[in-house]
Amino acid sequence: MQFVLKSALIALVFVGVALADGIKPYALANDGAVTRDRHLSEISDIMRGGRGGYIDFGFYYTPSREQLPLESQYGEHDGFAFNHHFAAFGAGEVAKNRHMGALLWFDRSGWDGEDFFLFPQYNDFGLQRSVVTWGLTFTDARMNWTLAAGMQHQNLEHRGKPYPYESDSLAYSWAHLRFSKLSAQANFYRADWRLFRVSLDLESRAIYGGRKSGLLTYLPNVSLSMYNTDDENDIDSMRINWEQNLYDQRLYAEVAIDLNDTWFHSAALKFYPDPSRMIGFEATCLNRVRHKQLSDDFVEEESDLLWGGAIDLLFARFAYNAAYDYENFFGAKGTFLVEFKFNLATIDGWLFNRGAARSAPMQTDVVKQFDKKAGSNEITPIGSAKGAPKTIEAKGIRYEKVGSEGGN
């Protein structure tokens, strides 16, 4: 059995090296904007409740230096693409139904000639960058609205030869406002906006006080994102994302459309054995756009469909050509990726994964057991659960105090 497992692992590594495409410098150069957008998208998911807590940390692992080489005008260079990420959010009640909190998102990513975790090689073709997003939050649970705002800091540690110039330190401001199922986000660099996103999260989710089943759980979640990448105040691109529950909040379809010449961006079919999203399986299709530099002023674009999928477990994610990993890991194609990670969210005592509709299975069983006891004739002890009926039963002789001197 061990021989079979080792042989399968060697075969996967071989296929990943043989079929993998190299990473292009422009994908690494654009990763700062991609990471900032992903941070705000994840914050939008967590702010659906606006209270509770969230923790996320992890890193991608590629065992071979030939697995994701860098392809630049200087040739092909063997090395390692990397992404180390961490996120945390916590909020506490400062007054009845009012919660204040703080959040921190951190990513360190890029490409280097050597495999590392803390100290890169900083060679001529490497690029190392970090993005930090932090902010403060306020939620009024009774009125069902949330306000969050903060800063994003993009810091360039090292820039090699193939990459365009960029400032080594950039600061952006951001804000998020949610009222009921409608939310809006904005991101600014100085006085110029870079991102504006408006979302309608119509799906009824039990962890936020909604329904566990019924027609309301089949309402879609839709967002419109507008991007501005230069100093002019016009819209460079627009994207619509549609998430649709297909069955029991376990099977979902996701579609992304770019409102430009390409239109179709990606589609995914995702299955979660439990609505808490602790485990997930996905099949994806991405409209891959490739750039060819024909001259200093002209870049040609070509597109084709990239099919892939992933298995997402609590502590690891295994992916091949998955749309999410292609977009967030420098356009990695034709190679098997492993991300070691852990993330968990909580609200009102329930545990779940980001974007989930219901709590973890173990907690659901506890609630069922409590409901069963509450419906029986058994006496519930005082303080056994919040909101439980309080019954006092005395056995034996009863003594009563009569008058100032007492008696029996």
Side-chain angles (χ1 to χ4, degrees), residues 43 59 63 81 86 97 133 143 287 297 303 373 376 383 391 395:
I43 289 171
F59 63 95
F86 169 81
N97 292 323
T133 302
M143 299 297 294
N287 184 19
D297 300 324
S303 63
K373 286 184 178 181
S376 68
T391 305
K395 296 182 179 180

Side-chain angles (χ1 to χ4, degrees), residues 177-190:
L177 176 63
R178 177 192 63 86
F179 181 75
S180 186
K181 296 183 178 295
L182 174 67
S183 62
Q185 278 186 332
N187 178 243
F188 299 90
Y189 176 66
R190 297 178 180 173

Side-chain angles (χ1 to χ4, degrees), residues 1-28:
M1 185 64 181
Q2 291 183 353
F3 174 76
V4 174
L5 292 176
K6 289 181 180 179
S7 301
L9 180 61
I10 293 173
L12 289 176
V13 173
F14 175 78
V15 172
V17 172
L19 301 179
D21 280 0
I23 291 178
K24 305 300 189 293
Y26 72 83
L28 288 159

